[in-house]
Amino acid sequence: MPPPLIDRPHHVEVPESLNRELSAAEWLEWWGALVACEMGDDHRGPGEDSDDTAQRVARILQRRQAVFDPPDFDALRTTPQLQALVRQHSRESLLWAGRTRRRNPPGRPPDGSAFSWSLVKSVAERVARTHGVPIADVTGTALVLRVEGIWSQPTGPGHMLCSTAAAADPDVAIPLLRDTFVSGLGA
């Protein structure tokens, strides 16, 4: 689990009748599914034209709908307590997320909220040279979360979650990027 959010949302009132232990376990399972969805690779299907963007987009949307489908959140129907809480608070949560989201111009994160493009490029090139592979083979996905402190968590080959502080600190970011790229080679 990541540390607490930097910009904490409002306090959510939880009904006393709620089984907190069960809801916590359900939320943790949903968090895992959301991360897996965001980190999911989208490769070409058998016989699919490499330029068929519509098919790729349809697969991505289908994958997302399976875990995050507002406003009813039918994907959570097997976890009715969690589904009720998410339905109840989704609108204000989305408004909160919109207020805290920062727009990052390509290559220039305004507040350290993403890896600098020049750093990513440099690390990728170094990994390609070290491993004797074409630069096109060096890929990875890093999702930067606005959470407190320096934190990171690999989520699979070529995939990682990290905090804004980890992405902004070159002493932390370089090994994180390197490990992410190296773990993604041949994945």
Side-chain angles (χ1 to χ4, degrees), residues 49-70:
D49 182 351
S50 63
D51 292 330
D52 197 341
T53 304
Q55 284 184 339
R56 279 189 43 247
V57 169
R59 278 196 306 274
I60 291 167
L61 289 174
Q62 183 179 20
R63 189 171 67 229
R64 285 193 176 162
Q65 284 290 112
V67 293
F68 186 79
D69 58 343

Side-chain angles (χ1 to χ4, degrees), residues 39-186:
M39 293 293 193
D41 292 325
D42 189 58
H43 299 290
R44 236 182 341 178
E48 184 179 332
D49 182 351
S50 63
D51 292 330
D52 197 341
T53 304
Q55 284 184 339
R56 279 189 43 247
V57 169
R59 278 196 306 274
I60 291 167
L61 289 174
Q62 183 179 20
R63 189 171 67 229
R64 285 193 176 162
Q65 284 290 112
V67 293
F68 186 79
D69 58 343
D72 294 327
F73 294 93
D74 290 331
L76 295 173
R77 68 184 162 282
T78 60
T79 57
Q81 284 191 139
L82 180 61
Q83 183 184 35
L85 278 174
V86 171
R87 280 180 178 168
Q88 180 181 358
H89 298 285
S90 65
R91 179 167 161 59
E92 50 198 72
S93 296
L94 291 172
L95 290 172
W96 168 83
R99 286 190 305 270
T100 60
R101 184 175 297 130
R102 308 247 193 292
R103 303 269 186 235
N104 294 343
R108 290 190 298 130
D111 61 355
S113 61
F115 294 95
S116 80
W117 176 245
S118 61
L119 183 71
V120 173
K121 182 178 183 287
S122 170
V123 173
E125 289 169 346
R126 197 170 321 138
V127 167
R129 277 192 311 274
T130 301
H131 292 272
V133 297
I135 189 69
D137 289 353
V138 179
T139 62
T141 301
L143 292 181
V144 179
L145 305 178
R146 294 185 54 78
V147 295
E148 295 175 359
I150 291 181
W151 170 85
S152 65
Q153 178 66 51
T155 62
H159 297 90
M160 180 218 1
L161 300 174
C162 73
S163 64
T164 55
D169 182 341
D171 292 335
V172 176
I174 289 170
L176 285 178
L177 289 168
R178 183 191 60 236
D179 293 349
T180 302
F181 289 145
V182 169
S183 73
L185 292 174

